[in-house]
């Protein structure tokens, strides 16, 4: 069921299924909540699954200016309030992983567990700022992420295993990236890449149970960078998924579901039913 919530970053579309403790999923840049379709199908019998179209993406309001990570954390808080959920489990990929950590650090009384996937706590390096700047300038000229830009997006998001063995995953990435409004998307890219804050000290304040997941084939945030984020979080568990790159939940859904299941059980969380 689609729901809409007014937030500090505009009206946000949610896809809400199931019942039980709230489990919120926030995707990567250029993706919408459907990135987590396999997780929604798996967890909806035990949890209220909330798939977020992040600001400026999918059915959410377009962005008219850059945002801060604190504002994104406020969006999660406002979603939780709209669901009348005292706490939410937060699962995020890339942008969502960064914001999941921000939320856990700033709102410790409102979070259950956090699963931070294919993410970083470090500011963007020179190479990443250059590559994403080139991508957004080219997308402006072409009026969107299409044609020759599909290749760079696929290379940033998907590894050789998915490109070789999972054509449906490649098609999904192409489809979702092509839907992004380029002006709105530029504000998101600017906020998450060149303007990204160094959150390593902030993440040292996290006290909730955290699982950090890296993809062995992830070129955007290589294993060492994601492991550095895990090292910044007290008591965080760190796992590397082989044959997976930057969109692990889409590339390796069964393994991701099993990792989340195991982590929930280890924390004594079983959901309803």
């Amino acid at each position: 069921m689609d729901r809409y919530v007014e937030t500090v970053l505009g009206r946000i579309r949610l896809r809400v299924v199931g019942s039980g403790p709230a489990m919120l999923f926030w995707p990567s840049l250029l993706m919408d909540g459907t990135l987590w379709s396999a997780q929604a199908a798996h967890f909806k019998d035990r949890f209220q699954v909330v798939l977020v179209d992040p600001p400026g993406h999918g059915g959410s309001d377009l962005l008219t200016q850059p945002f801060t990570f604190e504002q994104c954390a406020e969006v999660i808080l406002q979603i939780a309030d709209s669901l009348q959920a005292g706490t939410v489990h937060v699962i995020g990929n890339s942008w969502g992983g960064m914001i999941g950590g921000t939320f856990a650090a700033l709102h410790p009384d409102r979070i259950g567990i956090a699963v931070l996937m294919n993410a970083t706590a470090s500011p963007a390096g020179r190479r990443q700022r250059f590559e994403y700047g080139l991508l957004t300038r080219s997308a402006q000229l072409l009026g969107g992420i299409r044609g020759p830009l599909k290749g760079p997006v696929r290379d940033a998001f998907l590894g050789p295993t998915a490109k070789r063995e999972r054509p449906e995953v490649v098609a999904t990435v192409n489809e979702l990236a092509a839907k992004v409004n380029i002006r709105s998307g530029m504000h998101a890219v600017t906020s998450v890449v060149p303007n990204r804050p160094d959150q390593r000290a902030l993440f040292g304040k996290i006290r909730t149970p955290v699982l950090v997941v890296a993809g062995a084939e992830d070129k955007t945030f290589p294993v060492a960078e994601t492991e550095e984020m895990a090292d910044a979080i007290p008591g965080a568990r760190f796992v590397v998924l082989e044959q997976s790159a930057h969109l692990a939940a889409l590339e390796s859904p069964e393994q991701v579901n099993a990792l989340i299941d195991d982590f929930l059980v280890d924390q004594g969380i079983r959901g309803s039913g």
Side-chain angles (χ1 to χ4, degrees), residues 12-252:
I12 298 297
R13 182 172 73 179
L14 312 174
R15 296 172 178 85
V16 182
V17 295
S19 61
M23 180 180 281
L24 181 144
F25 293 82
W26 186 304
S28 165
L29 281 172
L30 309 183
M31 302 288 108
D32 66 21
T34 60
L35 176 78
W36 304 100
S37 295
Q39 285 66 51
H42 181 77
F43 289 104
K44 66 180 181 180
D45 292 337
R46 291 172 287 146
F47 294 88
Q48 182 182 42
V49 175
V50 182
L51 307 185
V52 178
D53 281 1
H57 292 67
S60 294
D61 281 351
L62 299 180
L63 291 164
T64 58
Q65 60 187 7
F67 52 73
T68 67
F69 280 21
E70 289 81 5
Q71 286 177 310
C72 292
E74 181 72 13
V75 168
I76 295 179
L77 186 64
Q78 291 173 311
I79 291 171
D81 286 345
S82 77
L83 298 171
Q84 297 183 319
T87 61
V88 292
H89 304 303
V90 178
I91 296 89
N93 183 90
S94 190
W95 174 15
M98 302 176 212
I99 299 308
T102 312
F103 182 76
L106 297 181
H107 302 285
D109 58 328
R110 300 299 301 275
I111 189 164
I113 64 151
V115 181
L116 314 180
M117 302 170 55
N118 305 111
T120 183
S122 303
R126 183 178 301 174
R127 178 188 63 81
Q128 195 174 75
R129 290 197 302 269
F130 172 77
E131 289 176 351
Y132 275 76
L134 181 62
L135 174 66
T136 53
R137 288 192 295 272
S138 300
Q140 276 186 297
L141 292 172
L142 292 174
I145 299 173
R146 51 180 60 92
L149 292 187
K150 289 183 178 179
V153 171
R154 282 196 303 269
D155 289 342
F157 281 0
L158 301 177
T161 301
K163 287 189 282 189
R164 183 178 62 247
E165 301 177 6
R166 301 289 301 274
E168 73 282 3
V169 169
V170 176
T172 296
V173 170
N174 287 339
E175 178 185 356
L176 293 179
K179 290 180 178 179
V180 176
N181 176 285
I182 192 56
R183 186 178 298 275
S184 175
M186 275 188 58
H187 291 309
V189 170
T190 297
S191 304
V192 175
V193 184
N195 291 356
R196 182 171 74 233
D198 185 339
Q199 297 201 104
R200 287 170 289 190
L202 177 67
F203 283 13
K205 300 177 181 179
I206 295 174
R207 295 297 180 264
T208 195
V210 176
L211 171 65
V212 176
V213 180
E217 299 179 0
D218 193 344
K219 292 182 179 178
T220 300
F221 299 135
V223 169
E225 183 169 348
T226 303
E227 186 171 18
E228 184 179 6
M229 181 180 78
D231 290 343
I233 301 170
R237 182 180 302 179
F238 179 66
V239 176
V240 179
L241 277 178
E242 302 297 332
Q243 299 184 322
S244 184
H246 193 61
L247 300 177
L250 187 63
E251 297 169 274
S252 306

